[in-house]
Amino acid sequence: MKNKGIVLFLIVLAVVIVAVMVGDWYSKRPDNMEANKFAYSVDEFRDVPEDLILYKETKNFKVGFNEPAGITIDQDKIYLVGDQKLKIIDRSGKLLNEYELGEEPHTVEVSDGVIYVAFEKRIQLINTAGETLAEWKFEDDNSYITAISISEENVFVADAGTRKIMRYNKAGELQNEFEGKASEDVLHGFIVPSPYFDIDINEYDDLWVVNPGLHSLENYTTDGNLREHWKASGASTENFSGCCNPAHFTFLPGGSFVTSEKGLVRVKVYKPSGEFLGVVAAPDKFDEKIEGQAPDVAVDSEGNIYALDFDRNVLRVFELK
């Protein structure tokens, strides 16, 4: 009897174990699992109160690229690069010129009638007739050029691969380079986990650099000394969320910042001091993706904001309400 009792107990125990395993498997099917109470979600930040949205989209047009890469505006002409081409259009979208580049471009900048097109490891200088004036090559195997900005005398280049800003004169001679360290006590320098590393110069000739890993914008002298900075880290509307944001930025007349973010895609404006002003385009204006691309941004002489939407391959124009 004793042996029969043990056998019966073992049979019952086996049935219970099998039942628990089947129940556990069934509960973990995708259509039966409970929501993860601890999962991080930015869905609550997709909706932006209407009173924070300062701009309205007034027009948009296709730019004719399979892979658009960058935009800048000079003298109210719009310069676009993508695929292996440079296009120049007017503000209505009319094509003025188009040039073959022979390689995938990363970004474009214009100064004094010279077009600077950056590729991964070189910069090509082109005149308005499409003729190559010069070519600057970067020999470091790690170089990955992401941005150019030009002052009266200097050409600044952001290299996400080496995490450096390089300053050239307009003859293409390297003057100096810096890694974003304000002093010997500062260890972080530029934190660039992915190829998003933007720079721009405002109308007061101040060089500003995104330190994307810190969600900060930093103002440097030409010698690479930090003068001031501001940061806004967090998922809420007035902050920068996720990795490597803001991904792109530019300036409005008067010095206010226009920023764009990837992931939770949104375009916003900040005062020259870094205080949040409002939203240009809320996340619901963009395709809802797990990792949406940040549009490149540019501003015309009237303060209209142009967003090159990489997910939709469209140039979108926003005007102040």
Side-chain angles (χ1 to χ4, degrees), residues 160-220:
T162 63
R163 299 179 296 280
K164 293 179 181 178
I165 301 298
M166 294 167 283
R167 178 170 68 98
Y168 291 83
N169 62 22
K170 291 193 173 180
E173 299 166 332
L174 181 65
Q175 305 300 293
N176 65 291
E177 58 186 40
F178 56 94
E179 299 176 353
K181 295 182 179 180
S183 69
E184 292 299 322
D185 299 327
V186 178
L187 301 178
H188 57 73
F190 295 126
I191 300 175
V192 188
S194 63
Y196 294 91
F197 189 32
D198 205 4
I199 58 176
D200 205 354
I201 295 172
N202 64 18
E203 60 192 68
Y204 310 109
D205 223 26
D206 297 325
L207 172 67
W208 284 85
V209 182
V210 173
N211 198 336
L214 295 178
H215 297 146
S216 68
L217 285 112
E218 302 174 352
N219 173 218
Y220 287 89

Tab-separated table of all heavy atoms in Angstrom, residues 160-220:
chain	number	residue	atom	x	y	z
A	160	ALA	N	32.000	62.900	-36.786
A	160	ALA	CA	31.415	62.021	-35.776
A	160	ALA	C	32.281	60.796	-35.517
A	160	ALA	O	32.238	60.223	-34.429
A	160	ALA	CB	30.017	61.583	-36.211
A	161	GLY	N	33.073	60.401	-36.509
A	161	GLY	CA	33.922	59.227	-36.343
A	161	GLY	C	35.041	59.431	-35.343
A	161	GLY	O	35.348	58.550	-34.542
A	162	THR	N	35.675	60.609	-35.383
A	162	THR	CA	36.763	60.911	-34.448
A	162	THR	C	36.291	61.758	-33.278
A	162	THR	O	37.071	62.062	-32.376
A	162	THR	CB	37.907	61.650	-35.167
A	162	THR	OG1	37.412	62.906	-35.654
A	162	THR	CG2	38.441	60.829	-36.328
A	163	ARG	N	35.012	62.177	-33.310
A	163	ARG	CA	34.403	63.016	-32.257
A	163	ARG	C	35.169	64.321	-32.081
A	163	ARG	O	35.449	64.748	-30.971
A	163	ARG	CB	34.303	62.232	-30.943
A	163	ARG	CG	33.436	60.990	-31.043
A	163	ARG	CD	33.373	60.225	-29.741
A	163	ARG	NE	34.676	59.700	-29.364
A	163	ARG	CZ	35.224	58.603	-29.867
A	163	ARG	NH1	34.585	57.911	-30.798
A	163	ARG	NH2	36.391	58.203	-29.468
A	164	LYS	N	35.492	64.956	-33.207
A	164	LYS	CA	36.247	66.207	-33.177
A	164	LYS	C	35.577	67.262	-34.048
A	164	LYS	O	34.879	66.935	-35.014
A	164	LYS	CB	37.673	65.998	-33.702
A	164	LYS	CG	38.563	65.134	-32.829
A	164	LYS	CD	39.942	64.974	-33.479
A	164	LYS	CE	40.856	64.085	-32.641
A	164	LYS	NZ	42.176	63.909	-33.310
A	165	ILE	N	35.839	68.526	-33.700
A	165	ILE	CA	35.530	69.647	-34.574
A	165	ILE	C	36.855	70.138	-35.141
A	165	ILE	O	37.812	70.382	-34.391
A	165	ILE	CB	34.840	70.795	-33.811
A	165	ILE	CG1	33.550	70.300	-33.168
A	165	ILE	CG2	34.567	71.968	-34.757
A	165	ILE	CD1	32.514	69.801	-34.134
A	166	MET	N	36.918	70.284	-36.468
A	166	MET	CA	38.140	70.754	-37.120
A	166	MET	C	37.880	72.114	-37.753
A	166	MET	O	36.823	72.335	-38.350
A	166	MET	CB	38.600	69.742	-38.172
A	166	MET	CG	39.041	68.423	-37.550
A	166	MET	SD	39.227	67.080	-38.770
A	166	MET	CE	37.512	66.659	-39.050
A	167	ARG	N	38.836	73.017	-37.595
A	167	ARG	CA	38.713	74.358	-38.172
A	167	ARG	C	39.730	74.515	-39.300
A	167	ARG	O	40.933	74.353	-39.099
A	167	ARG	CB	38.957	75.431	-37.109
A	167	ARG	CG	38.879	76.857	-37.671
A	167	ARG	CD	38.881	77.898	-36.552
A	167	ARG	NE	40.164	77.960	-35.857
A	167	ARG	CZ	41.127	78.862	-36.117
A	167	ARG	NH1	40.946	79.764	-37.082
A	167	ARG	NH2	42.247	78.857	-35.414
A	168	TYR	N	39.214	74.856	-40.505
A	168	TYR	CA	40.040	75.096	-41.676
A	168	TYR	C	39.899	76.553	-42.099
A	168	TYR	O	38.888	77.204	-41.815
A	168	TYR	CB	39.583	74.208	-42.844
A	168	TYR	CG	39.847	72.736	-42.636
A	168	TYR	CD1	38.959	71.950	-41.900
A	168	TYR	CD2	40.971	72.130	-43.180
A	168	TYR	CE1	39.200	70.600	-41.712
A	168	TYR	CE2	41.215	70.774	-42.995
A	168	TYR	CZ	40.328	70.008	-42.257
A	168	TYR	OH	40.572	68.673	-42.071
A	169	ASN	N	40.933	77.059	-42.777
A	169	ASN	CA	40.716	78.314	-43.480
A	169	ASN	C	40.088	77.984	-44.830
A	169	ASN	O	39.923	76.817	-45.190
A	169	ASN	CB	42.004	79.126	-43.611
A	169	ASN	CG	43.074	78.409	-44.418
A	169	ASN	OD1	42.799	77.514	-45.229
A	169	ASN	ND2	44.332	78.779	-44.205
A	170	LYS	N	39.744	79.003	-45.607
A	170	LYS	CA	39.017	78.732	-46.843
A	170	LYS	C	39.914	78.197	-47.956
A	170	LYS	O	39.419	77.805	-49.022
A	170	LYS	CB	38.255	79.982	-47.277
A	170	LYS	CG	37.102	80.284	-46.326
A	170	LYS	CD	36.146	81.303	-46.862
A	170	LYS	CE	34.930	81.429	-45.953
A	170	LYS	NZ	33.950	82.425	-46.433
A	171	ALA	N	41.224	78.142	-47.679
A	171	ALA	CA	42.144	77.486	-48.615
A	171	ALA	C	42.263	75.995	-48.314
A	171	ALA	O	42.984	75.273	-49.010
A	171	ALA	CB	43.519	78.146	-48.542
A	172	GLY	N	41.548	75.528	-47.276
A	172	GLY	CA	41.574	74.117	-46.938
A	172	GLY	C	42.707	73.702	-46.031
A	172	GLY	O	43.000	72.510	-45.908
A	173	GLU	N	43.330	74.674	-45.348
A	173	GLU	CA	44.449	74.374	-44.449
A	173	GLU	C	43.918	74.231	-43.021
A	173	GLU	O	43.224	75.119	-42.503
A	173	GLU	CB	45.485	75.494	-44.508
A	173	GLU	CG	46.084	75.666	-45.897
A	173	GLU	CD	46.858	76.971	-46.064
A	173	GLU	OE1	46.536	77.961	-45.367
A	173	GLU	OE2	47.782	76.999	-46.902
A	174	LEU	N	44.248	73.117	-42.387
A	174	LEU	CA	43.788	72.853	-41.027
A	174	LEU	C	44.433	73.837	-40.056
A	174	LEU	O	45.649	73.964	-39.998
A	174	LEU	CB	44.130	71.416	-40.620
A	174	LEU	CG	43.688	70.988	-39.212
A	174	LEU	CD1	42.165	70.988	-39.091
A	174	LEU	CD2	44.248	69.598	-38.885
A	175	GLN	N	43.610	74.518	-39.280
A	175	GLN	CA	44.093	75.492	-38.301
A	175	GLN	C	44.191	74.892	-36.904
A	175	GLN	O	45.148	75.115	-36.196
A	175	GLN	CB	43.151	76.703	-38.277
A	175	GLN	CG	42.938	77.366	-39.640
A	175	GLN	CD	44.237	77.867	-40.237
A	175	GLN	OE1	44.868	78.801	-39.721
A	175	GLN	NE2	44.648	77.260	-41.340
A	176	ASN	N	43.183	74.157	-36.528
A	176	ASN	CA	43.200	73.468	-35.225
A	176	ASN	C	42.021	72.510	-35.165
A	176	ASN	O	41.139	72.510	-36.035
A	176	ASN	CB	43.142	74.455	-34.055
A	176	ASN	CG	41.845	75.236	-33.998
A	176	ASN	OD1	41.578	76.076	-34.863
A	176	ASN	ND2	41.022	74.982	-32.994
A	177	GLU	N	41.994	71.686	-34.145
A	177	GLU	CA	40.884	70.769	-33.905
A	177	GLU	C	40.693	70.613	-32.404
A	177	GLU	O	41.626	70.834	-31.623
A	177	GLU	CB	41.138	69.413	-34.568
A	177	GLU	CG	42.403	68.733	-34.127
A	177	GLU	CD	42.693	67.453	-34.914
A	177	GLU	OE1	42.477	67.437	-36.145
A	177	GLU	OE2	43.134	66.478	-34.277
A	178	PHE	N	39.478	70.268	-32.002
A	178	PHE	CA	39.231	70.111	-30.567
A	178	PHE	C	38.155	69.065	-30.327
A	178	PHE	O	37.342	68.770	-31.192
A	178	PHE	CB	38.884	71.449	-29.901
A	178	PHE	CG	37.707	72.183	-30.500
A	178	PHE	CD1	36.429	72.037	-29.981
A	178	PHE	CD2	37.890	73.044	-31.579
A	178	PHE	CE1	35.364	72.727	-30.519
A	178	PHE	CE2	36.820	73.742	-32.117
A	178	PHE	CZ	35.550	73.582	-31.590
A	179	GLU	N	38.169	68.503	-29.109
A	179	GLU	CA	37.308	67.384	-28.747
A	179	GLU	C	36.238	67.764	-27.741
A	179	GLU	O	35.598	66.882	-27.157
A	179	GLU	CB	38.157	66.238	-28.183
A	179	GLU	CG	39.184	65.704	-29.169
A	179	GLU	CD	40.071	64.637	-28.558
A	179	GLU	OE1	39.964	64.424	-27.323
A	179	GLU	OE2	40.858	64.024	-29.297
A	180	GLY	N	36.050	69.054	-27.512
A	180	GLY	CA	34.980	69.476	-26.631
A	180	GLY	C	35.311	69.515	-25.165
A	180	GLY	O	34.418	69.641	-24.330
A	181	LYS	N	36.577	69.430	-24.833
A	181	LYS	CA	36.955	69.502	-23.424
A	181	LYS	C	37.128	70.966	-23.014
A	181	LYS	O	37.889	71.703	-23.627
A	181	LYS	CB	38.247	68.729	-23.171
A	181	LYS	CG	38.113	67.227	-23.397
A	181	LYS	CD	39.407	66.497	-23.097
A	181	LYS	CE	39.251	65.006	-23.309
A	181	LYS	NZ	40.490	64.260	-23.027
A	182	ALA	N	36.419	71.366	-21.976
A	182	ALA	CA	36.502	72.750	-21.527
A	182	ALA	C	37.764	72.991	-20.705
A	182	ALA	O	38.287	74.089	-20.663
A	182	ALA	CB	35.272	73.111	-20.696
A	183	SER	N	38.255	71.967	-20.021
A	183	SER	CA	39.454	72.099	-19.190
A	183	SER	C	40.024	70.711	-18.966
A	183	SER	O	39.440	69.702	-19.370
A	183	SER	CB	39.112	72.752	-17.840
A	183	SER	OG	38.331	71.871	-17.060
A	184	GLU	N	41.146	70.650	-18.298
A	184	GLU	CA	41.771	69.361	-18.007
A	184	GLU	C	40.902	68.513	-17.084
A	184	GLU	O	41.019	67.296	-17.041
A	184	GLU	CB	43.155	69.570	-17.370
A	184	GLU	CG	44.182	70.164	-18.327
A	184	GLU	CD	44.424	69.273	-19.536
A	184	GLU	OE1	44.445	68.048	-19.372
A	184	GLU	OE2	44.574	69.820	-20.645
A	185	ASP	N	40.012	69.171	-16.305
A	185	ASP	CA	39.170	68.445	-15.363
A	185	ASP	C	37.951	67.808	-16.028
A	185	ASP	O	37.285	66.972	-15.440
A	185	ASP	CB	38.691	69.383	-14.248
A	185	ASP	CG	39.864	69.957	-13.444
A	185	ASP	OD1	40.860	69.234	-13.294
A	185	ASP	OD2	39.768	71.112	-12.997
A	186	VAL	N	37.641	68.234	-17.231
A	186	VAL	CA	36.468	67.704	-17.923
A	186	VAL	C	36.891	66.490	-18.739
A	186	VAL	O	37.724	66.589	-19.622
A	186	VAL	CB	35.828	68.775	-18.832
A	186	VAL	CG1	34.638	68.170	-19.575
A	186	VAL	CG2	35.378	69.962	-18.002
A	187	LEU	N	36.283	65.347	-18.434
A	187	LEU	CA	36.720	64.101	-19.054
A	187	LEU	C	35.861	63.683	-20.234
A	187	LEU	O	36.307	62.921	-21.078
A	187	LEU	CB	36.710	62.972	-18.010
A	187	LEU	CG	37.600	63.190	-16.782
A	187	LEU	CD1	37.442	62.032	-15.818
A	187	LEU	CD2	39.054	63.345	-17.188
A	188	HIS	N	34.625	64.186	-20.314
A	188	HIS	CA	33.719	63.607	-21.293
A	188	HIS	C	33.975	64.055	-22.717
A	188	HIS	O	33.907	63.272	-23.639
A	188	HIS	CB	32.269	63.877	-20.902
A	188	HIS	CG	31.933	65.322	-20.731
A	188	HIS	ND1	31.812	66.191	-21.788
A	188	HIS	CD2	31.677	66.051	-19.613
A	188	HIS	CE1	31.488	67.386	-21.335
A	188	HIS	NE2	31.397	67.327	-20.032
A	189	GLY	N	34.295	65.326	-22.956
A	189	GLY	CA	34.420	65.807	-24.319
A	189	GLY	C	33.115	65.597	-25.074
A	189	GLY	O	32.035	65.572	-24.490
A	190	PHE	N	33.177	65.447	-26.393
A	190	PHE	CA	31.987	65.192	-27.182
A	190	PHE	C	31.628	63.710	-27.086
A	190	PHE	O	32.458	62.852	-27.369
A	190	PHE	CB	32.209	65.572	-28.646
A	190	PHE	CG	32.439	67.044	-28.862
A	190	PHE	CD1	33.559	67.495	-29.543
A	190	PHE	CD2	31.536	67.987	-28.376
A	190	PHE	CE1	33.774	68.850	-29.753
A	190	PHE	CE2	31.737	69.342	-28.571
A	190	PHE	CZ	32.861	69.775	-29.265
A	191	ILE	N	30.389	63.423	-26.714
A	191	ILE	CA	29.900	62.049	-26.623
A	191	ILE	C	29.007	61.810	-27.832
A	191	ILE	O	27.921	62.372	-27.934
A	191	ILE	CB	29.141	61.807	-25.307
A	191	ILE	CG1	30.078	62.065	-24.114
A	191	ILE	CG2	28.584	60.395	-25.254
A	191	ILE	CD1	29.404	61.961	-22.772
A	192	VAL	N	29.490	61.000	-28.764
A	192	VAL	CA	28.810	60.807	-30.046
A	192	VAL	C	28.628	59.300	-30.275
A	192	VAL	O	29.409	58.668	-30.977
A	192	VAL	CB	29.619	61.437	-31.207
A	192	VAL	CG1	28.814	61.415	-32.491
A	192	VAL	CG2	30.047	62.859	-30.872
A	193	PRO	N	27.577	58.705	-29.688
A	193	PRO	CA	27.389	57.257	-29.821
A	193	PRO	C	26.984	56.810	-31.211
A	193	PRO	O	27.140	55.637	-31.550
A	193	PRO	CB	26.262	56.965	-28.811
A	193	PRO	CG	26.191	58.160	-27.925
A	193	PRO	CD	26.601	59.321	-28.770
A	194	SER	N	26.402	57.704	-32.019
A	194	SER	CA	25.974	57.346	-33.372
A	194	SER	C	26.234	58.550	-34.281
A	194	SER	O	26.538	59.637	-33.790
A	194	SER	CB	24.494	56.954	-33.373
A	194	SER	OG	23.682	58.048	-32.979
A	195	PRO	N	26.135	58.386	-35.596
A	195	PRO	CA	26.563	59.462	-36.508
A	195	PRO	C	25.591	60.640	-36.582
A	195	PRO	O	25.053	60.962	-37.645
A	195	PRO	CB	26.696	58.738	-37.858
A	195	PRO	CG	25.734	57.615	-37.774
A	195	PRO	CD	25.766	57.164	-36.346
A	196	TYR	N	25.342	61.260	-35.427
A	196	TYR	CA	24.559	62.495	-35.355
A	196	TYR	C	25.388	63.499	-34.567
A	196	TYR	O	25.531	63.388	-33.341
A	196	TYR	CB	23.202	62.255	-34.683
A	196	TYR	CG	22.305	61.365	-35.495
A	196	TYR	CD1	22.310	59.983	-35.303
A	196	TYR	CD2	21.474	61.889	-36.482
A	196	TYR	CE1	21.496	59.154	-36.060
A	196	TYR	CE2	20.651	61.069	-37.251
A	196	TYR	CZ	20.666	59.709	-37.027
A	196	TYR	OH	19.860	58.891	-37.783
A	197	PHE	N	25.968	64.466	-35.282
A	197	PHE	CA	26.909	65.393	-34.659
A	197	PHE	C	26.858	66.673	-35.473
A	197	PHE	O	27.511	66.784	-36.507
A	197	PHE	CB	28.303	64.758	-34.674
A	197	PHE	CG	29.353	65.494	-33.889
A	197	PHE	CD1	29.047	66.209	-32.746
A	197	PHE	CD2	30.680	65.451	-34.293
A	197	PHE	CE1	30.025	66.870	-32.028
A	197	PHE	CE2	31.673	66.096	-33.587
A	197	PHE	CZ	31.344	66.809	-32.447
A	198	ASP	N	26.034	67.631	-35.034
A	198	ASP	CA	25.754	68.803	-35.850
A	198	ASP	C	26.423	70.051	-35.280
A	198	ASP	O	26.675	70.148	-34.067
A	198	ASP	CB	24.243	69.030	-35.943
A	198	ASP	CG	23.843	69.794	-37.202
A	198	ASP	OD1	24.723	70.084	-38.033
A	198	ASP	OD2	22.645	70.096	-37.356
A	199	ILE	N	26.688	71.012	-36.163
A	199	ILE	CA	27.256	72.306	-35.794
A	199	ILE	C	26.575	73.395	-36.613
A	199	ILE	O	26.037	73.133	-37.684
A	199	ILE	CB	28.788	72.369	-36.032
A	199	ILE	CG1	29.110	72.070	-37.509
A	199	ILE	CG2	29.527	71.441	-35.101
A	199	ILE	CD1	30.584	72.215	-37.851
A	200	ASP	N	26.612	74.622	-36.109
A	200	ASP	CA	26.116	75.750	-36.884
A	200	ASP	C	26.668	77.034	-36.279
A	200	ASP	O	27.084	77.066	-35.119
A	200	ASP	CB	24.586	75.786	-36.904
A	200	ASP	CG	24.038	76.516	-38.134
A	200	ASP	OD1	24.849	77.082	-38.908
A	200	ASP	OD2	22.817	76.533	-38.324
A	201	ILE	N	26.659	78.083	-37.087
A	201	ILE	CA	27.131	79.404	-36.666
A	201	ILE	C	25.964	80.372	-36.781
A	201	ILE	O	25.307	80.437	-37.820
A	201	ILE	CB	28.309	79.872	-37.541
A	201	ILE	CG1	29.511	78.941	-37.334
A	201	ILE	CG2	28.693	81.315	-37.221
A	201	ILE	CD1	30.657	79.188	-38.293
A	202	ASN	N	25.699	81.119	-35.707
A	202	ASN	CA	24.574	82.054	-35.753
A	202	ASN	C	24.988	83.380	-36.380
A	202	ASN	O	26.140	83.564	-36.789
A	202	ASN	CB	23.957	82.241	-34.361
A	202	ASN	CG	24.931	82.879	-33.359
A	202	ASN	OD1	25.934	83.487	-33.733
A	202	ASN	ND2	24.631	82.724	-32.083
A	203	GLU	N	24.055	84.312	-36.452
A	203	GLU	CA	24.319	85.588	-37.120
A	203	GLU	C	25.318	86.461	-36.371
A	203	GLU	O	25.794	87.463	-36.908
A	203	GLU	CB	23.005	86.357	-37.305
A	203	GLU	CG	22.291	86.685	-36.017
A	203	GLU	CD	20.877	87.180	-36.253
A	203	GLU	OE1	20.021	86.394	-36.693
A	203	GLU	OE2	20.639	88.377	-36.000
A	204	TYR	N	25.646	86.075	-35.143
A	204	TYR	CA	26.644	86.811	-34.356
A	204	TYR	C	28.023	86.153	-34.459
A	204	TYR	O	28.937	86.490	-33.708
A	204	TYR	CB	26.193	86.898	-32.896
A	204	TYR	CG	24.775	87.393	-32.752
A	204	TYR	CD1	23.764	86.532	-32.343
A	204	TYR	CD2	24.435	88.709	-33.074
A	204	TYR	CE1	22.448	86.970	-32.237
A	204	TYR	CE2	23.122	89.157	-32.971
A	204	TYR	CZ	22.137	88.279	-32.545
A	204	TYR	OH	20.831	88.717	-32.456
A	205	ASP	N	28.155	85.200	-35.360
A	205	ASP	CA	29.407	84.489	-35.626
A	205	ASP	C	29.820	83.572	-34.472
A	205	ASP	O	31.008	83.284	-34.288
A	205	ASP	CB	30.541	85.476	-35.943
A	205	ASP	CG	31.393	84.995	-37.112
A	205	ASP	OD1	30.874	84.234	-37.944
A	205	ASP	OD2	32.572	85.383	-37.186
A	206	ASP	N	28.854	83.111	-33.693
A	206	ASP	CA	29.128	82.185	-32.594
A	206	ASP	C	28.994	80.755	-33.087
A	206	ASP	O	27.987	80.391	-33.708
A	206	ASP	CB	28.144	82.401	-31.439
A	206	ASP	CG	28.271	83.783	-30.809
A	206	ASP	OD1	29.403	84.295	-30.748
A	206	ASP	OD2	27.234	84.342	-30.388
A	207	LEU	N	29.997	79.932	-32.800
A	207	LEU	CA	29.970	78.530	-33.169
A	207	LEU	C	29.274	77.722	-32.078
A	207	LEU	O	29.681	77.738	-30.921
A	207	LEU	CB	31.391	77.996	-33.367
A	207	LEU	CG	31.525	76.484	-33.562
A	207	LEU	CD1	30.889	76.051	-34.892
A	207	LEU	CD2	32.979	76.044	-33.489
A	208	TRP	N	28.231	76.996	-32.472
A	208	TRP	CA	27.518	76.118	-31.549
A	208	TRP	C	27.634	74.672	-32.037
A	208	TRP	O	27.611	74.399	-33.240
A	208	TRP	CB	26.047	76.505	-31.454
A	208	TRP	CG	25.829	77.737	-30.621
A	208	TRP	CD1	25.904	79.034	-31.046
A	208	TRP	CD2	25.514	77.776	-29.239
A	208	TRP	NE1	25.660	79.887	-29.996
A	208	TRP	CE2	25.398	79.150	-28.874
A	208	TRP	CE3	25.289	76.804	-28.263
A	208	TRP	CZ2	25.098	79.553	-27.582
A	208	TRP	CZ3	24.987	77.208	-26.963
A	208	TRP	CH2	24.892	78.565	-26.629
A	209	VAL	N	27.785	73.770	-31.080
A	209	VAL	CA	27.987	72.348	-31.366
A	209	VAL	C	27.016	71.537	-30.514
A	209	VAL	O	26.852	71.808	-29.323
A	209	VAL	CB	29.430	71.917	-31.024
A	209	VAL	CG1	29.656	70.447	-31.379
A	209	VAL	CG2	30.453	72.811	-31.725
A	210	VAL	N	26.374	70.546	-31.117
A	210	VAL	CA	25.577	69.606	-30.332
A	210	VAL	C	26.508	68.587	-29.685
A	210	VAL	O	27.343	67.993	-30.369
A	210	VAL	CB	24.554	68.858	-31.213
A	210	VAL	CG1	23.864	67.765	-30.399
A	210	VAL	CG2	23.510	69.816	-31.753
A	211	ASN	N	26.359	68.404	-28.375
A	211	ASN	CA	26.993	67.273	-27.704
A	211	ASN	C	25.881	66.247	-27.502
A	211	ASN	O	25.182	66.256	-26.484
A	211	ASN	CB	27.603	67.705	-26.372
A	211	ASN	CG	28.633	66.710	-25.865
A	211	ASN	OD1	28.589	65.538	-26.230
A	211	ASN	ND2	29.548	67.167	-25.037
A	212	PRO	N	25.653	65.372	-28.488
A	212	PRO	CA	24.402	64.611	-28.536
A	212	PRO	C	24.203	63.630	-27.390
A	212	PRO	O	23.075	63.411	-26.953
A	212	PRO	CB	24.478	63.890	-29.883
A	212	PRO	CG	25.936	63.825	-30.200
A	212	PRO	CD	26.533	65.067	-29.627
A	213	GLY	N	25.291	63.038	-26.899
A	213	GLY	CA	25.159	62.097	-25.796
A	213	GLY	C	24.753	62.757	-24.497
A	213	GLY	O	24.279	62.085	-23.574
A	214	LEU	N	24.923	64.089	-24.400
A	214	LEU	CA	24.555	64.828	-23.194
A	214	LEU	C	23.300	65.666	-23.374
A	214	LEU	O	22.912	66.402	-22.468
A	214	LEU	CB	25.718	65.745	-22.775
A	214	LEU	CG	27.010	65.059	-22.349
A	214	LEU	CD1	28.075	66.094	-22.019
A	214	LEU	CD2	26.765	64.162	-21.146
A	215	HIS	N	22.688	65.602	-24.565
A	215	HIS	CA	21.496	66.419	-24.864
A	215	HIS	C	21.782	67.899	-24.640
A	215	HIS	O	20.922	68.633	-24.120
A	215	HIS	CB	20.310	65.998	-23.983
A	215	HIS	CG	19.857	64.594	-24.204
A	215	HIS	ND1	19.359	63.802	-23.196
A	215	HIS	CD2	19.826	63.814	-25.325
A	215	HIS	CE1	19.038	62.614	-23.680
A	215	HIS	NE2	19.316	62.600	-24.969
A	216	SER	N	22.949	68.349	-25.054
A	216	SER	CA	23.324	69.737	-24.794
A	216	SER	C	23.802	70.427	-26.067
A	216	SER	O	24.247	69.787	-27.019
A	216	SER	CB	24.425	69.804	-23.728
A	216	SER	OG	25.647	69.274	-24.210
A	217	LEU	N	23.694	71.750	-26.066
A	217	LEU	CA	24.264	72.585	-27.120
A	217	LEU	C	25.324	73.463	-26.486
A	217	LEU	O	25.095	74.081	-25.438
A	217	LEU	CB	23.184	73.415	-27.810
A	217	LEU	CG	22.336	72.567	-28.761
A	217	LEU	CD1	20.928	72.435	-28.238
A	217	LEU	CD2	22.334	73.157	-30.162
A	218	GLU	N	26.496	73.511	-27.134
A	218	GLU	CA	27.668	74.130	-26.523
A	218	GLU	C	28.278	75.159	-27.469
A	218	GLU	O	28.415	74.909	-28.672
A	218	GLU	CB	28.688	73.035	-26.175
A	218	GLU	CG	28.096	71.980	-25.241
A	218	GLU	CD	29.004	70.785	-24.977
A	218	GLU	OE1	30.065	70.669	-25.634
A	218	GLU	OE2	28.655	69.970	-24.113
A	219	ASN	N	28.642	76.294	-26.916
A	219	ASN	CA	29.218	77.402	-27.677
A	219	ASN	C	30.734	77.434	-27.440
A	219	ASN	O	31.187	77.470	-26.291
A	219	ASN	CB	28.556	78.699	-27.236
A	219	ASN	CG	29.193	79.931	-27.831
A	219	ASN	OD1	29.323	80.961	-27.170
A	219	ASN	ND2	29.601	79.860	-29.086
A	220	TYR	N	31.508	77.408	-28.552
A	220	TYR	CA	32.966	77.364	-28.455
A	220	TYR	C	33.603	78.550	-29.182
A	220	TYR	O	33.065	79.058	-30.169
A	220	TYR	CB	33.505	76.065	-29.073
A	220	TYR	CG	33.233	74.849	-28.226
A	220	TYR	CD1	32.046	74.138	-28.384
A	220	TYR	CD2	34.141	74.429	-27.263
A	220	TYR	CE1	31.780	73.027	-27.598
A	220	TYR	CE2	33.882	73.316	-26.475
A	220	TYR	CZ	32.701	72.624	-26.645
A	220	TYR	OH	32.440	71.523	-25.852
